[in-house]
Amino acid sequence: MVNPSKIIEGGVEYSLGTFDGKSVEYDFQKILVYLDSKGKLLFGKHFKIYDDDRDIILKLCNYFVRDQKACEENEIDLDKGILLSGPVGCGKTSLMQLLKHLVPHQRPYSLIPSRNIVFAFNHLGYKTIEDYGNGSFFCFDDLGVEPIGRHYGKDCNVMGEVILSRYELFISNKIKTHATTNLNAQELEDLYGNRVRSRMRQLFNLIAFHKNANDKRK
């Protein structure tokens, strides 16, 4: 039997908690040890888990391991995706790349820079929006800083259209979408309009870093 409470990385076995044959009781301190080690493997030896981020990481871990009680206490809906917001350099992208490794038994998502989707639209047109409106799992990185798309002389708010497509998928098939953004709720509404912002509320759980969170890239 596969034991989901243990993960092997680089020949080292990490325990994430205890498994009774039916469910895992996760231990956050053990999870942090694993995430720190996996982060160094993914991003280099400079990677570290910051004490200031522990509350955010705990919420994200509770979501990904599907701890229903903890998520209910934090008003996190397990059926929705995650919109992780915060200032530039606070570690949003790294965390979303890292945390999917915590649950290798769950279906993984692909992390795609939003600007790359716009560049693809400029080249291929509306087929790009169709491609991202399929049943695959995605995390759209840096939502809101991408340029406006332009194909054969026509402008298109590409990510706004993609979000509407992802919303339809969520309603019909419970297909989740995740995203990271540097923008706040008002900035997102100004950029994408009230209709898209309304869909985003239904599509995402908002988890936000403090606006003064440190820039880890400095």
Side-chain angles (χ1 to χ4, degrees):
M1 179 187 292
V2 175
N3 185 342
S5 72
K6 297 188 185 301
I7 296 180
I8 296 174
E9 292 285 356
V12 179
E13 183 178 84
Y14 295 89
S15 172
L16 306 179
T18 55
F19 180 55
D20 64 6
K22 293 182 179 178
S23 61
V24 179
E25 185 171 330
Y26 286 94
D27 182 322
F28 185 53
Q29 295 306 317
K30 290 180 178 179
I31 286 175
L32 288 178
V33 170
Y34 166 71
L35 292 178
D36 185 67
S37 186
K38 181 64 175 178
K40 286 177 168 61
L41 285 173
L42 288 174
F43 310 119
K45 61 183 181 182
H46 62 279
F47 178 84
K48 65 178 284 191
I49 302 286
Y50 290 83
D51 287 343
D52 289 351
D53 298 340
R54 285 167 68 103
D55 286 349
I56 289 275
I57 294 171
L58 178 59
K59 285 181 184 178
L60 290 168
C61 287
N62 286 335
Y63 172 83
F64 280 105
V65 305
R66 300 187 64 81
D67 184 327
Q68 194 151 0
K69 183 172 181 288
C71 285
E72 285 175 0
E73 288 170 359
N74 287 283
E75 298 182 348
I76 295 171
D77 185 335
L78 286 170
D79 288 332
K80 295 182 180 183
I82 294 290
L83 177 61
L84 186 59
S85 76
V88 172
C90 69
K92 302 180 296 295
T93 302
S94 297
L95 281 178
M96 291 306 286
Q97 285 177 313
L98 178 59
L99 281 159
K100 64 180 179 179
H101 296 282
L102 185 61
V103 283
H105 53 287
Q106 290 184 21
R107 185 177 171 188
Y109 51 84
S110 300
L111 192 134
I112 312 286
S114 296
R115 63 200 303 269
N116 289 9
I117 298 173
V118 175
F119 295 152
F121 172 87
N122 294 345
H123 181 59
L124 299 170
Y126 286 88
K127 179 183 181 301
T128 301
I129 293 171
E130 291 172 17
D131 288 345
Y132 287 100
N134 64 24
S136 299
F137 281 26
F138 294 109
C139 177
F140 300 126
D141 194 33
D142 272 342
L143 186 67
V145 297
E146 74 280 352
I148 287 290
R150 191 170 180 82
H151 185 68
Y152 283 113
K154 289 188 176 180
D155 287 350
C156 177
N157 192 326
V158 176
M159 290 310 299
E161 293 298 324
V162 169
I163 288 166
L164 291 175
S165 296
R166 299 300 297 182
Y167 171 77
E168 296 301 329
L169 272 178
F170 173 67
I171 293 300
S172 60
N173 293 310
K174 292 297 180 191
I175 301 290
K176 289 182 185 177
T177 304
H178 304 306
T180 73
T181 185
N182 303 332
L183 306 186
N184 61 34
Q186 187 58 54
E187 289 168 330
L188 288 168
E189 185 165 326
D190 291 345
L191 181 64
Y192 295 120
N194 184 54
R195 179 169 173 242
V196 172
R197 177 67 187 128
S198 172
R199 299 293 188 269
M200 289 176 74
R201 288 191 190 96
Q202 294 170 269
L203 198 55
F204 297 119
N205 295 287
L206 176 62
I207 296 181
F209 281 86
H210 192 276
K211 64 181 180 180
N212 296 323
N214 291 333
D215 185 342
K216 279 102 177 167
R217 294 184 292 198
K218 288 183 178 177

